[in-house]
Amino acid sequence: MTNIKDFPPMTRLLKALPLTALVLGLGACATMPAAQNDVASLDIPEVAPGDISQETMVNVTRTLSSDEFEGRAPGTIGEEKTVALLKERFRQAGLQPGNNGSWVQEVPLVEITGRDYAPLTVTGNGVNMSFDYASDWVGVTYREDARTTLDNSELVFVGYGINAPERGWNDYEGVDMTGKTAVILVNDPDYESEMLEGTFGGRAMTYYGRWTYKYEEAARQGAAGAIIVHDEFPAAYGWNVVESSWSGPQAYAQRGPNAPPLTKMNGWVQKGVAQQILTAAGYDLATLSAAAKRQDFEAVPLGLTASTSFSSDIRKFASQNVIGVLPGQERPDEYVMHTAHWDHLGRCTPAPDGDDICNGAVDNATGTAALVALAEAHADAGATDRSLVFLAVTAEESGLLGADYYAANPVVPLSQTVGGINMDAFQVAGPAKDVLVVGGGKSELDQFLEAALTDVGRVATPEPTPEKGFYYRSDHFAFAKRGVPMLYIDGGEDLVEGGIEAGAAVAADYTENRYHGPKDEFNENWDWSGVMNDLQLFYRLGRMMGNSASWPNWVEGDEFRAIRDESCAAGEGC
């Protein structure tokens, strides 16, 4: 789950605005052509309210988050029960099996657990430094190797580690990284900007700021290792999060024969450790970081080498995505995607009362129940012109693995997937006047969202901390990075009863007392009225896209626009 509840209270934000004003006034996409801000420029059909069952929402959420399902961890009895329930509820809703007659898509996973870590040693220039695992650095391998060894790998400071030809930016230009280890800054060059305009979106993080991209790019460059310098503000979390997240079992998708290259080791170092390394090389971290913000930056060989080693325990298993489809009546080979992740953490660190089941009621039994409730409502209303897909994905909590596997191995071509909506945790504290738009201004789907918000009498609140890159942290991103426009909308905090102050208190309470813990449990006293309002919005969006003849694209200048254009040119859709 993307922890939207980490956002600051809405009292620190701009007032809620209509979405077009949000996009234009805040400059979230300064290059958006004027015509794309005219809702009439796309075919957006009118939609009547849907008959969405609150009983379904309550019952499915209650069942999925019960102790009987043991926290729904992939590869456990909890998965077996979850998949069986979803297959039956999709069938009862009136969907058809979405994968060539099957309700499921197998997702081959591998669990890699590092152990017996040697220190990270850095030598050269007459120095010999040693850094302790966990307190100073962390690292993992994505390779299915029993032993990983990084042996005297030359360190190269590569700034933000970005290669973006469409922006005229290449931090690797002129350097051969074969066998070397990249030292990389977190986020992207514009993150300190007060505005939302710049080569990399100003304060709003782009995909190039995500650690996932940095490791992928280092591998493409032939690097043996990639080490990101942790800095709390641009990372948006402290070292404790890095240490806990990057230690213990790590789940990944199993790799096929034509998979992209991998580094031997990917890791992080504390900012103070990076400063020590650069000082030993005769450089200053602050000075190099400032230079890395310029387009003319050139990678800096440090004249030092890094070494470490560790062993890995490897376990392979198959998990499952669950897929149902409501075939379209006019253009069934065009698809609108609805996604939510069914998985949670299984058994986890016990609460003081000994409860060790992370039930994941809000995160994300509510979103999974929403797939069922929306499927029922759309089937009852009759098929749209396009086919509607309902995809419950696995292993989101392990790194969006189920969504990424589907997007890499789609049941239907991505060029025939019009766009979609992701649902990741609903707030159950009553109705809100607003919705929180994550990644607003990126695609023409904003036009559908503005029309739907007008229909339901709500407004869009701008994303408060775009530098944290929340758009890149939930299941929709697996589709977005392959060119499919996706919306990610979170319930608002300006509650009808209590306003912004009450909404902020609810969000803070959830984050502090329940998020990713054993107390994210179903409560019979929840107020479902706000959830049902949110579902009316999602229902309208699905039917608008399903009955539209338009193919929304990313706005000009967005990092995913070229990918979509290429996909459309090669396929039969778009």
Side-chain angles (χ1 to χ4, degrees):
M1 172 192 172
T2 298
N3 191 9
I4 300 300
K5 287 75 184 177
D6 284 341
F7 290 159
M10 293 296 183
T11 50
R12 304 176 197 168
L13 309 182
L14 299 174
K15 296 293 185 181
L17 299 170
L19 188 61
T20 302
L22 181 158
V23 173
L24 294 179
L26 298 182
C29 192
T31 56
M32 180 183 287
Q36 291 183 340
N37 298 299
D38 178 3
V39 172
S41 65
L42 291 182
D43 171 29
I44 303 181
E46 293 186 2
V47 174
D51 184 12
I52 305 171
S53 170
Q54 181 171 315
E55 181 181 7
T56 292
M57 281 298 303
V58 173
N59 289 342
V60 174
T61 301
R62 181 194 290 115
T63 301
L64 288 175
S65 59
S66 65
D67 283 356
E68 180 185 354
F69 280 62
E70 298 184 5
R72 305 189 308 282
T76 68
I77 188 65
E79 168 168 4
E80 294 180 19
K81 294 177 180 292
T82 299
V83 169
L85 181 145
L86 288 175
K87 288 163 63 175
E88 179 60 20
R89 292 303 301 241
F90 279 177
R91 185 192 65 77
Q92 292 177 1
L95 302 185
Q96 295 182 11
N99 186 17
N100 299 315
S102 173
W103 290 105
V104 301
Q105 178 189 46
E106 283 207 350
V107 180
L109 299 179
V110 58
E111 181 183 85
I112 303 177
T113 306
R115 57 178 172 81
D116 302 330
Y117 280 86
L120 176 68
T121 59
V122 177
T123 59
N125 288 347
V127 300
N128 190 342
M129 296 178 288
S130 179
F131 301 103
D132 293 333
Y133 176 75
S135 59
D136 294 328
W137 75 284
V138 292
V140 300
T141 184
Y142 294 172
R143 299 185 181 187
E144 296 171 22
D145 296 335
R147 186 72 181 169
T148 296
T149 301
L150 193 68
D151 186 18
N152 290 318
S153 175
E154 182 183 344
L155 292 171
V156 182
F157 179 80
V158 296
Y160 288 91
I162 295 171
N163 180 16
E166 78 282 3
R167 299 170 194 242
W169 196 287
N170 186 0
D171 288 328
Y172 290 98
E173 187 171 3
V175 60
D176 180 2
M177 289 299 299
T178 304
K180 300 173 184 177
T181 293
V183 180
I184 312 169
L185 298 173
V186 72
N187 213 303
D188 57 34
D190 295 344
Y191 80 86
E192 290 183 295
S193 172
E194 293 297 323
M195 305 298 292
L196 297 184
E197 298 176 0
T199 305
F200 292 93
R203 189 164 65 95
M205 183 191 289
T206 63
Y207 177 40
Y208 296 112
R210 292 288 292 139
W211 56 262
T212 50
Y213 165 79
K214 296 175 188 293
Y215 293 143
E216 291 165 1
E217 187 60 43
R220 283 190 287 268
Q221 297 292 331
I227 298 175
I228 295 176
V229 178
H230 176 262
D231 190 350
E232 184 163 349
F233 176 70
Y237 37 76
W239 180 256
N240 63 308
V241 175
V242 176
E243 181 182 349
S244 62
S245 298
W246 288 75
S247 58
Q250 307 285 311
Y252 309 107
Q254 291 183 32
R255 296 170 55 76
N258 299 316
L262 291 173
T263 57
K264 289 184 178 180
M265 189 273 287
N266 293 322
W268 296 72
V269 295
Q270 292 258 34
K271 184 177 181 181
V273 170
Q275 179 62 71
Q276 291 180 57
I277 293 171
L278 291 175
T279 298
Y283 296 98
D284 174 68
L285 177 59
T287 302
L288 284 184
S289 297
K293 294 181 182 295
R294 299 195 302 266
Q295 199 163 7
D296 60 356
F297 168 78
E298 295 181 358
V300 180
L302 298 180
L304 303 172
T305 63
S307 301
T308 191
S309 63
F310 53 92
S311 297
S312 295
D313 297 323
I314 300 168
R315 178 176 74 97
K316 294 183 178 182
F317 65 98
S319 188
Q320 294 180 317
N321 291 331
V322 185
I323 313 170
V325 63
L326 184 64
Q329 56 184 346
E330 297 291 337
R331 298 186 300 281
D333 58 348
E334 298 176 5
Y335 299 86
V336 176
M337 188 68 61
H338 298 74
T339 60
H341 71 92
W342 61 254
D343 68 296
H344 199 54
L345 303 176
R347 294 189 178 273
C348 53
T349 303
D353 63 2
D355 182 3
D356 70 344
I357 297 177
C358 274
N359 302 84
V362 168
D363 177 19
N364 189 30
T366 57
T368 308
L371 286 178
V372 176
L374 288 172
E376 290 177 348
H378 283 297
D380 288 346
T384 56
D385 292 346
R386 290 164 163 158
S387 296
L388 304 183
V389 179
F390 299 85
L391 174 63
V393 295
T394 183
E396 188 269 357
E397 302 288 7
S398 299
L400 319 183
L401 301 184
D404 198 66
Y405 186 83
Y406 176 91
N409 305 274
V411 172
V412 297
L414 297 186
S415 63
Q416 293 173 219
T417 305
V418 176
I421 311 154
N422 182 50
M423 296 174 289
D424 193 349
F426 286 77
Q427 70 94 347
V428 284
K433 304 171 189 175
D434 65 331
V435 296
L436 184 66
V437 181
V438 181
K442 292 182 67 63
S443 81
E444 293 174 325
L445 286 181
D446 286 350
Q447 297 180 33
F448 289 87
L449 177 57
E450 184 168 2
L453 286 169
T454 299
D455 285 350
V456 299
R458 297 173 72 179
V459 294
T461 294
E463 184 180 1
T465 53
E467 71 277 7
K468 295 183 178 181
F470 281 110
Y471 188 79
Y472 309 97
R473 301 188 186 188
S474 194
D475 292 307
H476 60 280
F477 174 57
F479 295 86
K481 72 178 182 180
R482 292 174 174 87
V484 179
M486 295 288 289
L487 284 170
Y488 186 26
I489 309 155
D490 197 57
E493 282 191 358
D494 188 2
L495 299 184
V496 172
E497 295 187 9
I500 292 170
E501 183 176 354
V506 169
D509 176 69
Y510 176 74
T511 300
E512 294 168 11
N513 299 311
R514 280 173 283 284
Y515 174 66
H516 277 202
K519 297 308 173 186
D520 184 2
E521 297 178 308
F522 183 84
N523 188 326
E524 296 289 350
N525 296 320
W526 277 344
D527 183 342
W528 290 89
S529 57
V531 174
M532 303 312 295
N533 286 352
D534 291 344
L535 288 178
Q536 284 292 343
L537 177 66
F538 292 133
Y539 175 83
R540 280 175 164 82
L541 286 168
R543 291 198 82 77
M544 284 176 177
M545 283 189 271
N547 285 324
S548 175
S550 296
W551 283 84
N553 202 344
W554 303 95
V555 299
E556 291 287 350
D558 190 85
E559 66 260 48
F560 305 128
R561 175 65 182 251
I563 303 170
R564 182 62 161 183
D565 289 346
E566 182 180 350
S567 171
C568 291
E572 299 179 354
C574 307

